[in-house]
Amino acid sequence: MTAAGVPLSWYLILAALLFTLGAAGFLLRRNIITMFMCVELMLNAVNLTFVALAYHLRQVDGLVLAFFVMVVAAAEAAVGLAIILTVFRNRASVEIDEVQALRD
Amino acid sequence: MNLLDVVLILPLAGFLLLLFLPREREQTIRRVALGFALLTFVLSLGLAVGYRGAGEFAFVTDKPWIRSPEIRYHVALDGLSLWLVLLTTLLTPVGILVSWNYISRRVKEFYALFLLLEFGLIGVFVALDLILFYVFWEVSLVPMYFLIGVWGHERRIYAAVKFFLFTMAGSVLMLAAIIYLYTYAGTFDYVELLRLQAAGNLAFRRGEELLLFLGFFIAFAIKVPLFPLHTWLPDAHVEAPTAGSVMLASVMLKMGCYGLLRFLLPLFPQASRECAPWIVGLAIAGIIYGALVALVQPNMKKLVAYTSVSHLGFVVLGIFTFSQLGADGAVYQMINHGISTGALFVLVGFLYERKHSLEIADYGGVATPAPNLAAVFMITALASAGLPTLNNFVGEYLVLQGTAQVNFRWAVLAATGVILAAGYMLWLYQRVFFGPAPESVREHVYDLKRREWAAMLPLVALMVWLGTASETFLPAIRQTNAWILERARTSGEVRVQLSMPREEAKP
Amino acid sequence: MQLWLIPAFPLLGFLLNGIFGRRASKAFVNAVAVGAVLASFMWTLKTLGALWPLDEAHLERYFTWIQAGDVRIGFDLAVDRLSAVMLLVVTGVGLLIHIYSIGYMAHEGGYYRFFAYLNLFMFFMLTLVLAANFLLLFVGWEGVGLCSYLLIGFWFLKSSATNAANKAFIVNRVGDFGFSLGIYLIYTHFRSLDFGEVFDAVSRLPVEAGVGTLTAIGLLLLVGATGKSAQIPLYVWLPDAMEGPTPVSALIHAATMVTAGVYMVARCSVVYLHAPLAMEAVALIGLATAFFAATIGLTQFDIKKVFAYSTISQLGYMFLGAGVGAFGAAIYHLWTHAFFKALLFLGAGSVIHALGEQDLRRMGGLRAKTPITFWTLLAAALSISGVPLTAGFFSKDEILLAAYHHAPWMYWAGTLTAGLTAFYVFRAIFLAFFGAPRGWSYAHESPPVMTVPLVLLALLSLAGGFAPVSRWLAPMFPAGEGRHETLPVAISVAAGLAGIVVALLFYVARPGLADRVAARLGALYRLVYNKYFVDEIYQAAILRPVITGSENMLWRTVDVAWIDGAVNGIATRARAAGDVLRRIQSGDLRSYAAWVLLGSLALLLAIGLAGGGR
């Protein structure tokens, strides 16, 4: 039972919903920017779980991990956006189906 | 930090320095590389002077490297590794000298990799921690892969990949065996392993020892190379640039032979003894087979490569006779083969620089335009064919004498290789150097130049020295072999005696 | 006593000429080469004089060459009566031939190279003779083989010369293979390679009745000797070796190197005396070779080939002598043979020098143009035919007498061979010097630098037999010479004389008779003329199978098809498997993501099925 009376399970359900939304978006959308945002959504869903559980279990580990995830997300955003920018410069498009150079 | 560490680190330092030199200043790069190689060689002479161990390890450095699992930077020198280190440090400057004009593309990378290769090779011979040994083993593999793959001839990619895959296949098995051994003994340290074994705390079940033995053996046998695992060698040699062939034949092949003596015989004596007849069989087959196939090769480098299969058969034969003479001869033969086959590859490289062909049929009458080259080639060919007063004879004599004491029939079979050696060498020589010189040969082939003399003279001098004054080199080898063989012959029985009372004490 | 100086002088000569000779004048080359041999000869004389009468072997140890386990193998030199005889032959005859070569080689290219090789040969030969252990003997043994190779192939532009050189070296290697195995056996059983220690140990053993270690050692050493001394079955290289310059044929392939086998058998006399079977083998091989080579000599037309077969045949005599226990007589014959056979070759060289031709069929009538050559050659021919009081008479009859006491049939075969020998040698002399000129117009006598050695050798061929070599050597070998008998000697002398008379009849008195006889013999003549097709048989039975077998079976089948095929097969399989899995790698990011999702779901499912985190 949390302070505001919101039960833990609600947080977890919300996180699961957010994660599913993110995953579904990642799989279904074709715009790389959108996919990128979906990734962020998933990360934050996980963060929410961490924070909620940390609070629930009165342990600081979850919070630390959440910070980790945020730092990684920031770094990832920087690199990821740079890559997207380069892709756009080269192909004048951000459609994921057109970027398949990894195959070979 | 003792002299050995310096000798080991110096090529690495040279490698790093070369990476920071501007790529356009090729002459500087060559000079720096040669400088480092020569300095390493001069310092390594100090190792020979300072080595006075009676079969003990000298110049020991033992520092922790990785805490868990405990891997140590444990390097040292004994009579077995001493001359192999010197061989490496000698042939590196020779290799650099012969590449001086030969390598014109990517000069910086070439010399950097060459020094890295030297680092790896020296490391293999001095490492006494199994993981460290494995690391050096692989470190030496990578530069050689690039040397063949980048600066080789037409089919270089095929040869480089073949070389890499063959060797990797072996070394993966070796890694597995090393890890398995660790789970057993709890240490990677060679000296510690020996101590455990002597105390009877390293008892394997029979099947286990055999598996461990095979894990190491296959890695070494591929590297030697032992018949029938030799087929990577001719391709690698034919495609490699001259300096690559020299290092490959002279030093890299010795890694396998070294491993056999350093690790297999002392650590797995019982399995070694059990497998010995089979291995001897393969060695003798290799001696005869390599020589016969060499006889009919139309390509000079391939011919020399097959002679290596034959010569290294003698080394393996000597080791697995478990006799003092055989093992002494085997180690001596490692050095001999390094000198004389290295020299042969250098000379073939000289011919290639002149006429851009490795096919014997494209030559003929070279003795007329290049008498000095012909003379040096003759001495080298005779050394390779085992003429007394030149180096190979001493090694072959010791190996065959040791073999004859153990089993005369083996000696009879192996000695046929000596007849064939005269055959392939003289036939090669006749076809390349004798006869009237055709126009194309007279036009392109010139005699030795000063830089080429500088590369060849030390090798020729060593052929004579090794052939006449073997006592400069043999005592150190003898002492080290003595304890290795002592273990290989007896430690199986010792272990049984030691482990019996312990088991009885338990209940 | 500084024995090492004896071989050291020629080695120094070799190094000087080898390194500086190309740029030096001929005078320098001559001075160095001949000077080195002269110094060596003088030092030999001085040494022998100081050690006279050499009742005991004089041994000098220098430095350790190989330490084989606990056995020291050193550069040790020793001189005793046996090696003293060899030393005199090698340095003495060697000196004369060096001098002769100055004239003979005067117009050849590679002058310095020739003399450098010749000096190197002297070094190795003297090492061989002076060696005090088996391995050092082997050094000299292989070394002279090397020089023989280099000198046979001296005219390396000719493929016949380089082929002959290769053949000589490789056939010798076959012999050396046996020799080295013999050495290994000796080491294994006696733990030493020193002559003194080994022979002491052998002499304490009982005489072997059947085939034992000593017999094996004796036979293996004999294999070595048959290679070096051109005996059946390894004699085939010597006739071809005549491709080399004639002084080489005289020095290496007549007087010195080829006698090394005889020297070695004599050196190991103790071993052979303790292994009667091996000794019998020596005698049989010697006798067979003597007869067999003599028959071939009857039909050859190349003057050097005739003498080459004669050398093989005479070496066979020496082996016969050693094999029937007359080691002293064998060395005695070695001594006289060195003179008359060197002379025969040098004389032949003089004829070749005069004509530029070595086919007997295109000679004839040279007697007037080259008188010195003729008379000296005649002296040699008389000597080899065993005409009484010449050098050959003494030594040959001693061997035949010993054979007579050993087994009379051997004596008769030897006597028959003596007759054949006299016939073919005089056939060559008559064909070259008598009758009318056949196809040459200009000939000249050789310069004094060549004829003086000829004359000196002629004197030695005639009078060299008065040196009591075998009696002097008698203390070294157990007495087995037996009584002297007149009848066998008379018969063998008669055989020699008969040979001369028949040759006179065939080639001087009734020219044309020889051809008619040859035609009458038909197939037999062709068989002998073609040297019994031995070369062809070796070619077909050994050489060709080895080459084609190596190429087609070993290389192309085993190496390329089987081993590489197997490796490449594995690689192809791996690739094929990879090809299937590669489909997953579509490059489509969202399909990767779907895989990841599926994978994690599967993982979760698996964990759940396995009972969760608990």
Side-chain angles (χ1 to χ4, degrees), chain B residues 158 162 166 227-228 230-231 234-235 289 292-293 295-298 302 306 324-325 328 367-368 371-372 378 382 385-389 393-394 396-398 400-401 404-405 408 411-412 415-416 418-419 421-423 426-427 429-430 433-437 447 467-471 474 478, chain C residues 22-23 63-70 73 75 112 123-124 135 138-140 142-143 146 149-150 153 156-159 161-166 169-170 173-174 177 180-185 187-188 191 193 220 546-548 550-551 553-556 558-560 563-564 567-568 571:
Chain B
Y158 170 76
K162 193 171 179 182
F166 262 85
F227 174 84
H230 63 275
T231 56
D235 283 312
Y289 180 90
L292 283 175
V293 177
L295 205 57
V296 295
Q297 292 304 315
K302 234 176 192 170
Y306 277 107
Q324 179 77 43
L325 291 191
D328 291 352
T368 312
N372 288 332
M378 172 57 85
L382 291 170
L387 190 88
T389 68
F393 175 75
V394 179
E396 273 167 18
Y397 167 71
L398 287 173
L400 288 172
Q401 182 69 74
Q405 279 175 290
F408 195 69
V412 174
T416 53
V418 181
I419 305 180
L426 295 184
W427 201 24
Y429 195 84
Q430 181 192 21
F433 286 91
F434 289 154
D447 214 342
T468 49
S470 62
E471 274 305 284
L474 273 173
R478 203 154 41 225
Chain C
R22 188 138 50 101
R23 266 155 277 149
F63 64 97
T64 304
W65 176 30
I66 303 174
Q67 181 78 35
D70 42 10
I73 302 167
F75 267 101
Y112 79 98
F123 162 71
F124 278 121
L135 213 61
F138 192 68
V139 169
E142 285 266 300
L146 163 69
Y149 163 81
L150 292 171
F156 61 81
L157 298 181
K158 281 201 304 185
S159 69
T162 55
N163 282 339
N166 276 0
F169 198 87
I170 292 164
R173 262 291 162 105
V174 177
F177 161 77
S180 56
L181 288 174
I183 294 179
Y184 305 147
L185 259 192
Y187 178 100
T188 309
R191 283 277 160 187
L193 290 179
L220 285 170
V546 165
I547 298 281
T548 51
S550 303
E551 172 139 13
M553 260 310 291
L554 297 184
W555 181 28
R556 301 210 188 274
V558 176
D559 236 51
V560 177
I563 301 176
D564 267 1
V567 173
N568 291 341

Side-chain angles (χ1 to χ4, degrees), chain A:
Chain A
M1 195 54 80
T2 51
V6 184
L8 174 67
S9 56
W10 291 18
Y11 288 98
L12 293 185
I13 291 167
L14 177 62
L17 278 173
L18 283 174
F19 190 87
T20 316
L21 274 176
F26 188 83
L27 287 175
L28 301 174
R29 303 307 293 256
R30 298 206 306 197
N31 187 307
I32 303 183
I33 305 270
T34 320
M35 290 169 70
F36 189 71
M37 278 151 55
C38 292
V39 171
E40 295 298 318
L41 199 56
M42 286 191 277
L43 285 174
N44 283 315
V46 175
N47 260 356
L48 185 58
T49 329
F50 274 131
V51 174
L53 279 166
Y55 190 76
H56 176 73
L57 297 173
R58 307 274 179 239
Q59 277 185 346
V60 80
D61 301 25
L63 299 177
V64 173
L65 268 175
F67 277 116
F68 251 118
V69 172
M70 278 155 75
V71 172
V72 170
E76 177 239 327
V79 178
L81 283 172
I83 292 174
I84 294 170
L85 211 63
T86 323
V87 168
F88 182 71
R89 278 223 196 104
N90 281 332
R91 302 180 187 246
S93 147
V94 286
E95 292 294 297
I96 190 65
D97 293 347
E98 293 175 23
V99 187
Q100 293 192 336
L102 268 179
R103 187 174 51 192
D104 306 308

Side-chain angles (χ1 to χ4, degrees), chain B residues 34-111:
Chain B
L34 183 63
F36 267 96
L38 283 177
L39 185 62
T40 314
F41 174 60
V42 171
L43 288 178
S44 68
L45 288 178
L47 295 176
V49 176
Y51 177 80
R52 301 190 215 294
E56 298 285 314
F57 288 107
F59 299 103
V60 184
T61 308
D62 191 2
K63 292 201 176 89
W65 177 25
I66 296 171
R67 295 273 170 207
S68 173
E70 188 173 17
I71 299 170
R72 305 184 67 82
Y73 171 78
H74 187 180
V75 297
L77 207 61
D78 67 354
L80 179 56
S81 39
L82 173 64
W83 304 116
L84 291 171
V85 170
L86 255 73
L87 186 69
T88 316
T89 57
L90 168 72
L91 284 164
T92 307
V94 169
I96 290 175
L97 276 176
V98 301
S99 310
W100 208 263
N101 296 333
Y102 183 91
I103 299 298
S104 49
R105 297 181 303 118
R106 297 171 184 269
V107 173
K108 176 173 149 178
E109 287 85 347
F110 181 85
Y111 290 104

Side-chain angles (χ1 to χ4, degrees), chain B residues 367-368 371-372 374-375 378 429 434, chain C residues 13-14 17-22 29 33 105 108-121 147 149-157 245 248:
Chain B
T368 312
N372 288 332
M378 172 57 85
Y429 195 84
F434 289 154
Chain C
F14 160 69
N17 270 343
I19 296 171
F20 305 110
R22 188 138 50 101
V29 174
M105 298 302 288
E108 296 291 341
Y111 191 76
Y112 79 98
R113 202 159 50 87
F114 179 81
F115 278 99
Y117 292 163
L118 223 48
N119 271 356
L120 183 65
F121 168 78
C147 299
Y149 163 81
L150 292 171
L151 284 163
I152 295 170
F154 179 73
W155 286 305
F156 61 81
L157 298 181
V248 172

Side-chain angles (χ1 to χ4, degrees), chain B residues 317-336:
Chain B
L317 173 65
I319 292 173
F320 280 91
T321 55
F322 295 93
S323 64
Q324 179 77 43
L325 291 191
D328 291 352
V331 178
Y332 208 69
Q333 195 65 354
M334 289 186 211
I335 309 166
N336 289 334

